[in-house]
Amino acid sequence: MIKDILVNLSLGERGGFAGDYAISIATAFEAHVAGIAFLYDPVIPLSGAGYIPADVIDSQERDNADATRAAADRFAQTAARAGVSAEPLTLSTSVAGAGEQFSRLARRFDLAVIGQAEPDTNAIEEVISEAALFESGRPIIIVPYIQKAPLKLDRVMVCWDGGRQAARATADAMALLERAGRVEVVIVADESGKEDEIAGADMGQHLARHGLDVEVKRMAMGDIDVADVLLSHAADIAADLIVMGGYGHSRLREFVLGGVTRSILGSMTVPVFMSH
């Protein structure tokens, strides 16, 4: 059940696409949503003289404060119009520390929502999403920066390979899957045509026992990689949400996403629900 949602409020030019999507989830589930607008410390290279002019620091601090305030205000106004229980929060942090702060906060929520990093930005959302995926212990939804529509669950695509992460993601997404009009379990096989160790049909049967309308689709990988197969199929069926395991590992403080996960998050056109 989803009753408590945390969202990172994007400070990018495209505004509050992640906040809007989180509010739509809260509306559907009659949930509370907290929006975090990070106030980032200035990041300014040293001048040739070896120091940072005070007026440059002051200017960045003002710009950062203005962007943070605007994001929090927009979120509060959108939530109020939707009649959603919402709490805008502003937290000071460094760019390097934002991921740790967000993932620590996310542990106290049912779901975390993060926007996809916009092109030509410092990609702080990517840092936050990786940290939340590996360190929060909670599922996350990453929202494409082009997203304008609210939560829609007419057709949900579940990426299944029989692995632990896929099983975790499928179980964590059950509250969403139970509201889906149609669930398609997608298995991507290599060109050898070998049978999966855990047949996708078994997962289809498991979901059907929960009362879901399920179809199992087995696809050949062919000459393109798994991420491209999945994204192409999501587009073909007009999927509203992709559910998948978050693949990768963490080593000390360095978060490393697996190739399939990173490719999908870089080229996604629909929201992606992930667990690790």
Side-chain angles (χ1 to χ4, degrees), residues 148-171:
K148 294 181 180 178
L151 175 71
K152 184 181 177 185
L153 297 170
D154 291 347
R155 196 168 191 102
V156 177
M157 189 175 105
V158 175
C159 305
W160 180 251
D161 66 356
R164 181 189 71 80
Q165 290 93 340
R168 171 72 183 273
T170 304

Side-chain angles (χ1 to χ4, degrees), residues 183-195:
V183 175
E184 185 164 315
V185 177
V186 177
I187 306 155
V188 179
D190 63 24
E191 60 274 8
S192 65
K194 294 181 180 178
E195 292 297 319

Side-chain angles (χ1 to χ4, degrees), residues 7 23 27 33 42 46 54 81-82 84 89 135 163 204 206 208 228 230-232 240 253 265 268:
V7 58
I23 288 169
T27 300
V33 56
L46 291 176
R81 287 195 298 270
V84 166
L89 300 172
E135 295 299 311
H206 168 69
D228 288 337
L230 293 173
L231 289 171
S232 176
D240 301 305
R253 304 298 299 170
L265 296 187
M268 59 192 284

Side-chain angles (χ1 to χ4, degrees), residues 152-234:
K152 184 181 177 185
L153 297 170
D154 291 347
R155 196 168 191 102
V156 177
M157 189 175 105
V158 175
C159 305
W160 180 251
D161 66 356
R164 181 189 71 80
Q165 290 93 340
R168 171 72 183 273
T170 304
D172 285 348
M174 194 60 70
L176 294 161
L177 296 179
E178 287 173 346
R179 296 185 177 222
R182 182 78 168 167
V183 175
E184 185 164 315
V185 177
V186 177
I187 306 155
V188 179
D190 63 24
E191 60 274 8
S192 65
K194 294 181 180 178
E195 292 297 319
D196 297 301
E197 293 182 7
I198 301 177
D202 293 343
M203 177 50 68
Q205 292 168 3
H206 168 69
L207 295 176
R209 292 187 183 106
H210 283 267
L212 277 58
D213 182 4
V214 182
E215 177 183 353
V216 177
K217 178 76 172 181
R218 183 183 177 96
M219 305 180 66
M221 185 164 61
D223 296 328
I224 61 176
D225 61 29
V226 173
D228 288 337
V229 172
L230 293 173
L231 289 171
S232 176
H233 187 66

Side-chain angles (χ1 to χ4, degrees), residues 6 99-112 114 128-141 164 168-169 171-173 250 255 273-276:
L6 179 69
E100 180 182 2
Q101 281 208 42
F102 187 85
S103 60
R104 193 165 58 240
L105 287 168
R107 294 169 191 160
R108 305 196 294 271
F109 291 81
D110 299 317
L111 176 68
I114 306 143
I128 292 173
S129 62
E130 291 187 17
L133 176 63
F134 293 119
E135 295 299 311
S136 71
R138 296 294 191 178
I140 67 174
I141 290 181
R164 181 189 71 80
R168 171 72 183 273
D172 285 348
S250 60
F255 300 110
F273 179 105
M274 302 178 71
S275 294
H276 178 73

Side-chain angles (χ1 to χ4, degrees), residues 42-58 60:
V43 179
I44 307 171
L46 291 176
S47 69
Y51 69 92
I52 303 172
D55 60 333
V56 175
I57 296 176
D58 291 343
Q60 269 218 25

